[in-house]
Amino acid sequence: MPPVPPKLSRSDPGGTIQQPAAPTTAIVGIFIILLLAAIQYAREFLLPVVVALLLFFVFVPLQRRALRIGLPGSLTAAALVLGLLVGIASIFFLLSGPVMEVANNLPEIVRDLTARIEAARDVFLAIIQNFRAGAENDIPQLRPASAIEEATNGEEEEDDLLMNTLSGALLYLTETPAIVAQVIFALVLLFFLLSSSDLIYLKIIQSFDGFAGKRAALTALREVERNLGGYLGTVAVINAGLGVSIGLAMWALGMPVPLLFAVLAFLLNFIPYLGAVMGIILASLVALLWFDTLSSMLLVAGVYLLLTSIEGQLITPAFLARRLRMNTALVFLSVAFWAWMWSFLGMLIAVPILVALRVIAEQIPQWRIFANLLSGDPVRVIKGARKAD
């Protein structure tokens, strides 16, 4: 089918183009595919930009309060960014020793963990064989005959697992300079955003026509700042409290490097649903290596699960605004999508991006339907609708 020619103006004898043809479904689909590919390709650039924008909405209220008491905006921005830099550098410095020790002992750790998992599997298989045989007093051998016959293959698989683990660890170590560069870039961008926040707001407002449009733009910016900044600030404080609690609990239980568990709990709790599961699995694996009894491992996993459950079921619902609760299905899809796009770091910022989209969509009348879809609130009765008999 030949393409539809553009519409021509009736009033213009020269036949100038009046309005371009509407984009077809195929063009929109191609645009979405190219956009997703561009976002994934530009991950190293876009990730620090998104993080800086999210942090901007967290700290801009503090910067505005400092301006009200007479402090220069640039000085306040420098103090906030410097505080973040010192905090991040301190955490990296405190964790550098344990992380390097783990990296040096990684082959032994992998072998020990593999041996313990193999032993647990053999015991489990022996229990199953004992149950099937119906023997009540005879205790079978821990390693079944099939496992003995495949011992050589098992050793080769263990060597392959060790090599894959070492190559993965070396890959992360080689990416460390790039991560440091992204952190510095995000902090520098955050400084410029904070120091020129009033100018940025002014330029955005000036881009709208009429007093009503400018007022609506200012109201939208304030609403995004209040809701998104309040959400991120509240979640960060709650996660920090959870990290401190888990760190103290791991220290009381005798776990190694409790500070590492505190930092991981703080970061993983930004990932809904999956973050707590990942933390429990990691703590259980470390406890399996560190302790000799199964009860100790179960105690560590149970304490981690208890603390995350208290945070998720009691503390977060009590402090987080009800109007910012999200659709759980879309939250899970968002986490999975950004994990596919930007790996682990994408999982950390998936929910803040979703909250930002909802807050922005609530301020645009044409996007209200999308905002209602993201909302986790109960269904609202539409005004003017007749009540059901």
Side-chain angles (χ1 to χ4, degrees), residues 26-314:
I27 295 177
V28 174
I30 294 173
F31 171 77
I32 293 176
I33 294 174
L34 293 177
L35 179 62
L36 294 178
I39 292 175
Q40 191 174 31
Y41 179 77
R43 175 180 59 180
E44 287 76 10
F45 173 77
L46 292 178
L47 183 60
V49 172
V50 172
V51 171
L53 289 174
L54 294 175
L55 292 176
F56 168 77
F57 286 108
V58 175
F59 291 109
V60 70
L62 299 178
Q63 193 256 0
R64 187 173 293 109
R65 292 177 184 175
L67 287 176
R68 292 174 182 174
I69 63 177
L71 294 178
S74 300
L75 180 61
T76 306
L80 292 174
V81 173
L82 183 61
L84 279 177
L85 180 61
V86 170
I88 295 173
S90 301
I91 293 175
F92 272 104
F93 176 76
L94 293 175
L95 295 179
S96 60
V99 170
M100 291 303 298
E101 184 177 357
V102 171
N104 294 331
N105 299 326
L106 188 60
E108 292 78 7
I109 293 175
V110 173
R111 290 193 182 95
D112 192 6
L113 181 61
T114 305
R116 288 176 181 263
I117 293 176
E118 290 289 337
R121 186 194 66 178
D122 295 339
V123 172
F124 180 72
L125 292 176
I127 293 175
I128 294 178
Q129 289 181 355
N130 190 14
F131 177 77
R132 289 181 177 179
E136 297 180 355
N137 298 323
D138 298 335
I139 300 177
Q141 57 184 356
L142 291 180
R143 292 184 61 86
S146 59
I148 296 176
E149 293 176 358
E150 299 176 356
T152 304
N153 295 333
E155 292 178 357
E156 293 178 356
E157 293 178 357
E158 180 181 347
D159 293 337
D160 294 339
L161 176 62
L162 179 60
M163 293 302 297
N164 293 333
T165 306
L166 290 175
S167 61
L170 292 176
L171 179 61
Y172 278 106
L173 290 177
T174 55
E175 291 181 352
T176 301
I179 295 175
V180 173
Q182 289 181 342
V183 171
I184 294 176
F185 173 64
L187 293 178
V188 172
L189 178 59
L190 177 62
F191 167 74
F192 286 116
L193 290 175
L194 290 175
S195 59
S196 58
S197 59
D198 291 338
L199 179 61
I200 294 174
Y201 279 21
L202 180 61
K203 294 299 181 180
I204 294 176
I205 294 172
Q206 288 178 348
S207 62
F208 291 85
D209 297 329
F211 178 77
K214 297 179 185 297
R215 182 177 181 180
L218 179 60
T219 303
L221 288 173
R222 296 294 188 184
E223 194 70 14
V224 171
E225 175 186 312
R226 182 176 65 88
N227 288 283
L228 181 58
Y231 170 82
L232 292 176
T234 303
V235 171
V237 172
I238 293 175
N239 291 353
L242 178 65
V244 172
S245 301
I246 289 180
L248 292 176
M250 296 298 105
W251 172 77
L253 293 174
M255 288 283 287
V257 199
L259 179 62
L260 179 60
F261 286 99
V263 175
L264 289 177
F266 169 76
L267 294 177
L268 291 176
N269 207 50
F270 281 100
I271 306 174
Y273 316 123
L274 299 179
V277 176
M278 295 168 62
I280 292 172
I281 293 175
L282 181 60
S284 301
L285 291 177
V286 175
L288 182 63
L289 290 172
W290 190 254
F291 300 108
D292 296 329
T293 60
L294 182 62
S295 59
S296 299
M297 185 198 71
L298 295 177
L299 179 61
V300 170
V303 170
Y304 200 108
L305 176 61
L306 176 63
L307 292 176
T308 54
S309 299
I310 293 174
E311 176 272 329
Q313 301 299 325
L314 299 178

